[in-house]
Amino acid sequence: MARIVLGVGASHSTLMNTHWDRVVHTEDAERFRDALGEARDAIAAARPDVAVVVGSNHFRGFWLDLIPAFTLGVGEVVGAGEAGTPKGPQRTHPAVARALAEALIERGTEVALSARLQIDHGQTHAIQYLLRDLDVPVVPLVVNVFAVPLPRPDRCVALGHNLAEAVRALPGDLRVVVIASGGLSHQLPWPADWRDPQNADEEFLVEAWLNGRGEWERYDERRRAIITAARPVIFSGFDERFLADLESGDLRRYASWTSADIERAAGNGGQELRTWLTMAAALGFAPGRRLAYAAMPEWLTGMGVAMVEPAGTAP
């Protein structure tokens, strides 16, 4: 029987690739990077046949002309390649992806399907650091966390539960790793509501989000300038509590939170925690283990890495 053999949650930031030389908190940055390496080694030791990468998309693969709550890549997957992240076709497993899609829909999670999915660092950062040099195909599962209205956290938990059942329904003895990419707390200089931009920068961003299909790079220089000029806002107290709840197997309690609850506690970038909830639910909310946490103002984000092993996992 196919089964999930490991879950990993990891923050992402392209500033790791582009702004390492500007890091002041060097020890924290190195500890986070080393934890990514530790998680990568644990993935290798788990010998997965496929990795389901649950992540967000930052309007380089989805735009406001069409942005579903959940999307599964069931065919070709292409990395956008922004800021030194993997670019071009990624190794995939379409047969597994399509079987998972059918099983998810049968179980009540109506995922959108993409036979040619472009992903950005919401997925490729994990491929770059957690699957480095591992010959493991990916199945990307993209969660909308930025274009309101957002899927409710409890629906993300249901997605995770259904994903676990869908994996168990796969033929053969496939070993599956589930990776959550995103978070922890951070505040992006993005409009709170794309329907109501408040200044020239927000108007520009909404224009980029609406019209970027096929030409997102035309907007990218100013987009990154807006991001890198932002004042860091990190809620490290929340991050510590969230990771403590992961370690005790208590992330289920966030299923009752609203988007407003998440933003108050963890900033608008904290909406990416939906990916962690999906992963944790797929692992049955088993107690996990924190590998590292660092509040990194240079990367605008509370950076965490953790692993969850399902109860009774055989070596």
Side-chain angles (χ1 to χ4, degrees):
M1 182 178 69
R3 57 201 173 102
I4 296 172
V5 295
L6 185 67
V8 174
S11 304
H12 59 237
S13 173
T14 59
L15 298 178
M16 280 187 65
N17 294 348
T18 61
H19 286 61
W20 189 274
D21 59 342
R22 305 184 196 180
V23 167
V24 175
H25 302 85
T26 308
E27 291 185 2
D28 289 342
E30 291 177 345
R31 183 163 56 251
F32 174 77
R33 182 188 59 193
D34 291 347
L36 290 178
E38 183 180 350
R40 179 260 177 213
D41 291 345
I43 292 172
R47 298 178 287 109
D49 298 295
V50 66
V52 177
V53 183
V54 187
S56 56
N57 191 287
H58 306 78
F59 298 100
R60 294 185 183 89
F62 289 84
W63 291 269
L64 291 174
D65 60 355
L66 181 62
I67 186 161
F70 308 123
T71 304
L72 200 66
V74 298
E76 180 182 359
V77 175
V78 179
E82 80 283 7
T85 53
K87 183 176 184 177
Q90 305 298 303
R91 188 183 173 208
T92 61
H93 201 317
V96 167
R98 292 167 188 172
L100 290 176
E102 291 181 7
L104 284 169
I105 291 170
E106 181 66 25
R107 286 160 176 77
T109 298
E110 289 81 7
V111 292
L113 310 181
S114 176
R116 183 176 295 126
L117 179 65
Q118 180 160 296
I119 55 176
D120 65 16
H121 69 273
Q123 312 265 336
T124 55
H125 194 276
I127 294 172
Q128 180 177 13
Y129 288 99
L130 296 175
L131 298 177
R132 184 187 71 254
D133 299 326
L134 301 181
D135 191 24
V136 179
V138 297
V139 173
L141 178 54
V142 183
V143 180
N144 170 32
V145 302
F146 292 126
V148 295
L150 307 180
R152 297 192 323 248
D154 66 318
R155 294 300 300 158
C156 297
V157 168
L159 168 63
H161 287 316
N162 289 340
L163 176 61
E165 293 186 5
V167 167
R168 286 192 288 269
L170 291 171
D173 298 320
L174 290 175
R175 299 169 66 88
V176 178
V177 165
V178 180
I179 298 172
S181 181
L184 298 169
S185 71
H186 58 295
Q187 182 71 27
L188 296 168
W190 287 7
D193 188 329
W194 60 269
R195 298 163 293 193
D196 186 27
Q198 297 296 302
N199 54 50
D201 280 347
E202 291 190 358
E203 289 174 357
F204 169 81
L205 289 171
V206 171
E207 178 189 347
W209 297 350
L210 181 60
N211 300 319
R213 188 175 298 279
E215 54 178 0
W216 65 266
E217 292 169 298
R218 179 164 72 89
Y219 298 96
D220 216 47
E221 182 176 356
R222 183 175 172 187
R223 272 187 45 151
R224 287 190 63 79
I226 292 170
I227 297 297
T228 56
R231 179 178 65 89
V233 179
I234 299 172
F235 302 86
S236 56
F238 168 82
D239 294 339
E240 294 282 2
R241 290 192 299 274
F242 185 85
L243 291 171
D245 287 335
L246 178 142
E247 290 191 298
S248 60
D250 290 332
L251 287 188
R252 190 189 309 270
R253 71 187 190 87
Y254 296 93
S256 63
W257 283 34
T258 66
S259 293
D261 293 331
I262 294 173
E263 182 157 358
R264 279 192 297 269
N268 59 8
Q271 304 294 356
E272 290 180 324
L273 292 170
R274 286 169 169 78
T275 69
W276 289 62
L277 295 182
T278 301
M279 178 275 292
L283 273 291
F285 291 109
R289 179 164 65 93
R290 178 172 85 167
L291 302 184
Y293 173 74
M296 290 296 299
E298 300 94 328
W299 299 340
L300 305 178
T301 304
M303 307 292 289
V305 186
M307 297 193 310
V308 182
E309 297 183 12
T313 297

